[in-house]
Amino acid sequence: MRTLMALLLGAALPLAALPAQAVTVDLFDWAVNVDSTFADPTLGDPLPAGVNTGAFNATTGLGTLRITVSGAGSHYVGAFFDHEIDQLANTFFNEIGAQGGTAAPGQTWEVDEPGFFNGDIFENLQAGALDNGVGTSIYGDTTFPDDVSMAMAWDFTLAAGELGIVDFLISDVQPTSGLVLSQTDPDSNDYTLYLTSNLLKKPAGGGPAIPEPTTLALYGLGLGLAALTGLRRKQG
């Protein structure tokens, strides 16, 4: 199915260059893994309970995807995003993926080709085993001029009566702290998307959310990015 999706998208690419236009961001595919329940909504899979898309634009892939879990014990929450930047103007395989910052305890990540050729990011999220690396493109280039996709996940433990709240934030506003994954289109004036994530814990019966110490600064940044959602540059 994923190979068929790639072939159909490739067939839709224009044979001639298009006139200059505003940057267009599309979300080609996305998926989540919530405690081993894996779902790819693009293929029609129902989302697991606790996945909130109210602040997430599934067309552009911008905004905040929130996933809430409960129950004492170990949990795994992860998400995968395959964005395309100006794909009709300059293809989807000219982009560069990168990683910056430091992962928090229990946080994993991956930047890779999404699995149509040699990438394993999609399968790694399914298995709950992101590899904390930037994959090698089909050209053998680790700076990744290719079809870039990004994923982040959290392994964590909840006490009795706690909720775990995981936010995945995608924006073109560059974060200043925490683990940051990026996807850049060098042929669109270096337009860049950034993926960050944070984990909060709060009492199930109410009360304030308690950020994990290593994600406190990133949580504040996430609130700022949410406020800037309506101010980001106009999409084509």
Side-chain angles (χ1 to χ4, degrees):
M1 177 63 75
R2 290 177 63 76
T3 300
L4 176 60
M5 291 166 66
L7 291 174
L8 291 174
L9 180 58
L13 292 176
L15 297 178
L18 295 178
Q21 58 184 12
V23 173
T24 299
V25 178
D26 299 301
L27 184 62
F28 180 71
D29 194 14
W30 64 289
V32 297
N33 183 338
V34 182
D35 289 336
S36 298
T37 297
F38 188 83
D40 184 337
T42 309
L43 299 180
D45 295 341
L47 288 171
V51 178
N52 185 335
T53 60
F56 178 68
N57 187 323
T59 299
T60 64
L62 297 170
T64 300
L65 179 68
R66 171 165 289 188
I67 301 177
T68 303
V69 296
S70 61
S74 299
H75 293 273
Y76 181 88
V77 174
F80 157 89
F81 305 94
D82 182 6
H83 292 85
E84 317 294 7
I85 303 171
D86 273 349
Q87 61 178 337
L88 295 181
N90 54 47
T91 79
F92 57 86
F93 49 81
N94 65 324
E95 297 165 8
I96 297 170
Q99 174 267 338
T102 303
Q107 187 178 21
T108 55
W109 60 275
E110 188 167 345
V111 178
D112 202 354
E113 193 277 326
F116 301 121
F117 296 102
N118 65 335
D120 58 10
I121 184 172
F122 193 81
E123 289 74 16
N124 285 348
L125 182 67
Q126 284 182 300
L130 297 178
D131 64 19
N132 296 331
V134 178
T136 302
S137 79
I138 60 175
Y139 311 106
D141 187 343
T142 55
T143 61
F144 232 89
D146 203 341
D147 185 7
V148 175
S149 62
M150 305 180 287
M152 280 190 184
W154 293 86
D155 279 294
F156 58 96
T157 300
L158 294 178
E162 278 190 322
L163 295 176
I165 303 170
V166 178
D167 285 339
F168 299 95
L169 305 99
I170 305 99
S171 171
D172 56 14
V173 178
Q174 185 172 7
T176 57
S177 63
L179 174 66
V180 181
L181 304 185
S182 63
Q183 177 175 343
T184 300
D185 188 330
D187 298 315
S188 294
N189 295 319
D190 288 331
Y191 181 92
T192 301
L193 293 176
Y194 302 96
L195 170 63
T196 58
S197 182
N198 58 58
L199 167 65
L200 307 177
K201 297 179 182 180
K202 66 176 294 184
I210 304 171
E212 293 294 280
T214 52
T215 65
L216 182 60
L218 184 56
Y219 176 63
L221 174 66
L223 294 178
L225 291 180
L228 287 170
T229 297
L231 298 179
R232 66 173 180 264
R233 71 188 71 180
K234 181 176 181 284
Q235 304 302 313

